[in-house]
C-alpha cells in the first residue's frame, strides 16, 4: 500500500530541493490527504439527507467556492477514484510483478477484475464488455464494425453528438451508406412522438438504428427499450450511445434489449477520463468486425475482449473506473438518481419561472439530470464567460441562447440558488 504521508513529506522535500516545478505534486497529494478518508456514514442519509450530500461533496477536488454545472461534459473524479488511479500506477510502474511477462499487465488481458464489476453495474456478462477509452471510440467500433452495402441505411436522431454521428458520416463518404435523420421535438412530450417518427422513417434498406439514450443537445431520455424492441421487430440492429447514462440513472443494458451500447463513465460515474466501454450483446459479437487489429482480433472465443485488444494501454484508468463503480454502489444508484433528478427538477422549475423556454421534457420519465433551457436575448457564451469570471460558476450551452445545466449529486440547492441569483443579476444588468 502506498504510504501517502511518507510520499508527501518526501515529495515536499524533493520539491524544495528540485524547485517549484515539482511542488504541485506534493500539493495534489496534500489535497487528497486533506479530504475525508471515509465516505459519510450511510445512516447520516436517513437522519439528514442534505447533510449526507454536503459531506459527500468534500470528496471532490472542485474548490468549495466553485459551482460546477457542467458534469454533462466531464465529471470530476472524487478522492476514492483518484486514490485508486495512483494505486494503479504504484502497483504497475515498479515493474516487479510476479510474472515477468509485461504484456498481460499493460495490454492483451481479459481484465476481468475490471470487467466484472462493470458488467454487474450495467447488467450484462463480462464477455459482452470491451473496455475502451470513451463513447466516441466505442461508437467508431460500432460504425466501422457492422457490414453494410452502398445504399444501406442507418437511422439516427437529429440530436446525436459529433462522436456518435461522424463515424457514420465517414462510413457514408467511404462506402456509400445512407444516413437518415429523424427530428426529435424540443421538448419531447411523450414516448409515442419518437416511436411514431422512427417507425415512419424505417425502410427496407434500414440496417441500423443509432440513437443517444440521453442526448447531448437537450438531455432528453429517449425510450430506449421501446426503440430497441421496434428495431428488433424489423430485423434492424440497435446501437445506443449511452455516454451520459451510467452514474446518472440506473442502467441495465439487457432490459433495454439493445444490440450494442457505448458509454463514457467519466461523465456521470465520475470515472477517470479515458475509461469507456462498449457492450455488444452476445449474439451480436460474431457479427461485429474489430476496428483495431492486433493479436486476438480474429479469435471469436475471446468474445468482446477482442475489441479491447488495442496494444498497450492505460491500466490505472481502469483502477479508477472500478473505484467509481464501487463508490456508486456504496452510495446506492437509486439514491444518486433520486438526488440528481430532484436537483434537476429544482433548477428547471426555477428557470421556467424566470420565463426560460424549456427544451426539457415535461414528462419526468423523459428527463433526468440535465435541464436545457433557452434564455433569449441573453447570448449564452457571454453569460457563460461572465458566470465563470465573476461568480466562479461553470455552465455549458449552445448558440445562441441555450443553457445546459447538469445536476450531479454533489451539488446542493444552495449552489443552485447561487447560480439563480447570479443569473438574475446578469439578466437585470442587460435589461
Ligand atoms: C451523447 C454523447 N455521445 C458521445 C459523447 C462523446 O463523449 P466522449 O468525448 O467521452 O467520447 C458525448 C459527450 O458529451 C455525448 O454527450
Amino acid at each position: 500500500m502506498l504510504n501517502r504521508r511518507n510520499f508527501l513529506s518526501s515529495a515536499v522535500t524533493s520539491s524544495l530541493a528540485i524547485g517549484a516545478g515539482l511542488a504541485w505534486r506534493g500539493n495534489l497529494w496534500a489535497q487528497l490527504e486533506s479530504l475525508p478518508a471515509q465516505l459519510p456514514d450511510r445512516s447520516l442519509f436517513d437522519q439528514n439527507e442534505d447533510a449526507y450530500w454536503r459531506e459527500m461533496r468534500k470528496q471532490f477536488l472542485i474548490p468549495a467556492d466553485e459551482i460546477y454545472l457542467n458534469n454533462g461534459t466531464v465529471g470530476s473524479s472524487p478522492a476514492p477514484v483518484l486514490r485508486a488511479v495512483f494505486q494503479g500506477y504504484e502497483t504497475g510502474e515498479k515493474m516487479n510483478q510476479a510474472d515477468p511477462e509485461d504484456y498481460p499487465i499493460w495490454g492483451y488481458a481479459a481484465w476481468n477484475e475490471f470487467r466484472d464489476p462493470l458488467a454487474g453495474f450495467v447488467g450484462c456478462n463480462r464477455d459482452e464488455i470491451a473496455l475502451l477509452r470513451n463513447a466516441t471510440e466505442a461508437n467508431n467500433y460500432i460504425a466501422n464494425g457492422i457490414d453494410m452495402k452502398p445504399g444501406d441505411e442507418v437511422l439516427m436522431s437529429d440530436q446525436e453528438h459529433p462522436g456518435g454521428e461522424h463515424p457514420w458520416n465517414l462510413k457514408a463518404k467511404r462506402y456509400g451508406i445512407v444516413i437518415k435523420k429523424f427530428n426529435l421535438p424540443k421538448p419531447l412530450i411523450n414516448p409515442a412522438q419518437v416511436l411514431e417518427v422512427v417507425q415512419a422513417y424505417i425502410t427496407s434498406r434500414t440496417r441500423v438504428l443509432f440513437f443517444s439514450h440521453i442526448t447531448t443537445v437537450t438531455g432528453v431520455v429517449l425510450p430506449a427499450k421501446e426503440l430497441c424492441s421496434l428495431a428488433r421487430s424489423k430485423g434492424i440492429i440497435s446501437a445506443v450511445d449511452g455516454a451520459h447514462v451510467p452514474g446518472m440513472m440506473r442502467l441495465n443494458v439487457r432490459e433495454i434489449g439493445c444490440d450494442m451500447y457505448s458509454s463514457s463513465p467519466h461523465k456521470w460515474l465520475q470515472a477517470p477520463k479515458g475509461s469507456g466501454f462498449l457492450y455488444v450483446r452476445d449474439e451480436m459479437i460474431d457479427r461485429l468486425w474489430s476496428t483495431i487489429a492486433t493479436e486476438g482480433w480474429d479469435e471469436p472465443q475471446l468474445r468482446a475482449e477482442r475489441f479491447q485488444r488495442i496494444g498497450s494501454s492505460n491500466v490505472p484508468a481502469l483502477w479508477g473506473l472500478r473505484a467509481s463503480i464501487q463508490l456508486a454502489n456504496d452510495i446506492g444508484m437509486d439514491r444518486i438518481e433520486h438526488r440528481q433528478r430532484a436537483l434537476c427538477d429544482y433548477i428547471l422549475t426555477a428557470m421556467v419561472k424566470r420565463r426560460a423556454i424549456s427544451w426539457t421534457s415535461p414528462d419526468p420519465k423523459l428527463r433526468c439530470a440535465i435541464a436545457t433551457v433557452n434564455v433569449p436575448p441573453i447570448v449564452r457564451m457571454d453569460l457563460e464567460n461572465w458566470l465563470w469570471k465573476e461568480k466562479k460558476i461553470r455552465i455549458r450551452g449552445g448558440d445562441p441562447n441555450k443553457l445546459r445545466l447538469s445536476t450531479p449529486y454533489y451539488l446542493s440547492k444552495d449552489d443552485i440558488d447561487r447560480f439563480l441569483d447570479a443569473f438574475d443579476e446578469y439578466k437585470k444588468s442587460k435589461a
Side-chain angles (χ1 to χ4, degrees), residues 72-73 133-137 139 159-161 163-164 212 214-216 241-244 264 266-267 396 404:
T73 299
R133 284 178 299 182
N134 51 41
T136 301
E137 191 170 48
N139 289 334
Q159 288 189 21
E160 299 312 319
H161 186 275
S212 294
I214 297 177
T215 75
T216 189
D241 178 343
H244 288 282
S264 284
H266 67 75
K267 293 179 186 285
R396 180 103 193 269
R404 192 182 75 172

